[in-house]
Amino acid sequence: MQRRTGPLAQLRRGHEELVLGLLRRNEPMSRGELMRHSGLSRTTLYDIVGALQASGAIVTAAQDSGQRGRGRPAETLTLNPDAGHAIGIDFARRATHVVVVNVAHEVVGQATEPHNADVAWDERVELAERLVSDLAEGTLRLGALSAVGVGVVGPVGDLGEQRRLEEVPRLLRKRFGVPVLLDNNTRLAALAESIWGAAAGEQNVLYLRLSHGVGGGLVVGGALHRGAHGLSGEFGHITVDPLGAQCGCGGTGCLETVASVRAVLDAYHEAGGRATDISGLVNSGDTAAQDVLRSAGTQVGNVLAALCNAVGPGVIVIGGELSEAGQDLFDPMKQALDANIMPISRNKVSLRRATLGDVGGALGGIALVLHESPLLSNYPAEPDAEEAT
Amino acid sequence: MQRRTGPLAQLRRGHEELVLGLLRRNEPMSRGELMRHSGLSRTTLYDIVGALQASGAIVTAAQDSGQRGRGRPAETLTLNPDAGHAIGIDFARRATHVVVVNVAHEVVGQATEPHNADVAWDERVELAERLVSDLAEGTLRLGALSAVGVGVVGPVGDLGEQRRLEEVPRLLRKRFGVPVLLDNNTRLAALAESIWGAAAGEQNVLYLRLSHGVGGGLVVGGALHRGAHGLSGEFGHITVDPLGAQCGCGGTGCLETVASVRAVLDAYHEAGGRATDISGLVNSGDTAAQDVLRSAGTQVGNVLAALCNAVGPGVIVIGGELSEAGQDLFDPMKQALDANIMPISRNKVSLRRATLGDVGGALGGIALVLHESPLLSNYPAEPDAEEAT
């Protein structure tokens, strides 16, 4: 998991990936078979295999039964099942979500625990460790290739921005003793939806979460797009009304001021509605509920149309609590999308509801680990990876 | 230039790139040196070298002068200077632009010829061939690795869309006898600006062209982003005024209806202005000119802010004739951008004027060829490539 850079390190990393990829598809294999299939020289192959054994990524398997009749049977190599677990954690505002997968990409389990928004980082990390331990039932292996992928609220980008977050990786490394990868949790949910969720297998995905905050993420050519300073996917802060309400971001009339859970409930109450949450609003069946959902859906659809013209996604995925409002929200959204998208692009983008729910951010943390780990790299390109769920 | 797919072909292609990359940096090299530096086995290396020789990509150089004192000196290999030229053509609406580069990435020349918008494809292709031949002054080499990268007006995406374009590659292949790669010319200009132009070396670039049409392109993580159906970068068709003018795309109130050359001139004439082109308008120095530029700049800035929040570019490049209006356009544009971008992202994006002018689309065609050619792949990652201009 050590990061190496430069052309030579990159070349070496490529060789490692080659060997690991062959073992993932065909294990167990002998060094001779690995040489033949990889095209690497004996010197290079033995060097790479040695390093992967030293790091704990691969181990010698049971000896080949030996079809050759005589001589010592060739030693075969296999991925190390004890190489460790990948852990995904989403430190959401009011809950902590965790997911654990093993080296074979199987989800060991997932768990969620709600808490107050003001819980301190050390308590959150302790909670996450407890949830992970419970899931793995004492069998948690933190081996050479374990890592924790973590989603957090708010922008994750330049180092300068991250001062507010610097204690998070530190606390996690102290607890788990493994590398920690960090990203915005909504962006991670976008990644997870494009691997295992509503847009599974899609290469160009726009994910929008309508929750207490409004944000999202772009998957571009199969990879999560972070932007120049880690500040992409801030769809909730696109201006929809220059004369609108003040937004928490410091801007005015952002999409979040009209399409967040709070904004929709406020508009509903102003129109005389009484329900105190989105499901109550939806189930009320009254006209005021339909009106506020139509208004929010229309504003969202307008923004989606602009983004489709700019980015050209194949699939739009809508997640977050507001997406539970169903057709009263989605119909006007689709209508505004169709009205404002370039006519030539109309009906070329599929509008879908997210399927992974609350755990999407933590699953995205797993995806981050699998993408970065040399053992599990090139993921999700491997078809077997998608069978993990 | 043959397209191969599948993991094995990809592996082989990777080996070819490795060998070609080593030769590009260190030529000439012997097979032994190539083996040592690439880490490939003798069998694989000889196989790859043989195939590259057969395709004409590499040739044997003058024999090594032989420091070893005795025995036959090792044969050294080098990139084939006769491997051919890369040709970039931009079939713009009212002009044809061409650029020619040689195998060493040196621009042999560039040329432009204006014509009417209704010139037929066979005439345009004939014109392009004449311009290319004149540039190369009879030395044009269409070798094993030559190709033509072509920009055209309008969307280039799904095969279904391309029926209107299918004769273009056919005519070009017939004329030049080499592979033809096609993309939208504005998108290609975006690529060129991010390699050689105002955003050279940047990984995340938003390019917007304000010309007779309004469009653009996104470079994302160093690669041109096409979108799911080749319909990305249609910034000109983002709705800015739902009650606005009808747009050529079939939509209403698109950015193009307020920020194209025609739209700005129309608004200027309505306000009593008399100049008939953008430079006349700019040089008039009258208030009406400033007003219409302020209005257009503001609308453009609003759209740019939304796109920055969504995509997070490090650099915005503005091209096209309208960009010649200078500060009267750029000041209000920057002001609207700053007012509507997420405050945390403010001042993190650099707003620049395009530097490649009319020839950007044709240069982008070259970039397309260099990206796709095994001889010149991984471009523009190679620093020497940028010295070509």
Side-chain angles (χ1 to χ4, degrees), chain A residues 128-198:
Chain A
E129 193 201 14
R130 182 165 56 72
L131 291 174
V132 166
S133 301
D134 290 353
L135 279 180
E137 287 176 353
T139 65
L140 185 69
R141 288 194 202 94
L142 294 175
L145 297 164
S146 297
V148 184
V150 181
V152 294
V153 174
V156 177
D158 288 351
L159 286 178
E161 299 292 339
Q162 293 194 15
R163 235 164 289 151
R164 73 180 172 90
L165 295 171
E166 67 183 357
E167 66 171 331
V168 183
R170 195 173 46 76
L171 287 168
L172 285 163
R173 266 195 301 271
K174 205 170 141 194
R175 281 271 161 190
F176 292 96
V178 297
V180 174
L181 302 168
L182 206 68
D183 207 335
N184 170 271
N185 60 353
T186 309
R187 207 144 62 196
L188 289 182
L191 181 60
E193 289 286 348
S194 82
I195 299 174
W196 298 287

Side-chain angles (χ1 to χ4, degrees), chain A residues 6 37 51 111 119 150 192 276 290 311 339 350 364:
Chain A
H37 284 88
V119 170
V150 181
T276 55
Q290 287 175 357
V311 182
S350 166

Side-chain angles (χ1 to χ4, degrees), chain A residues 25-38:
Chain A
R25 283 190 293 274
N26 311 302
E27 62 172 342
M29 293 174 85
S30 69
R31 286 176 180 76
E33 289 170 322
L34 282 171
M35 266 174 65
R36 272 199 304 285
H37 284 88
S38 68

Side-chain angles (χ1 to χ4, degrees), chain A residues 35 71 85 138 207 227 234 273-274 314 332:
Chain A
M35 266 174 65
H85 287 93
Y207 171 78
E234 296 288 356
R274 307 183 68 168

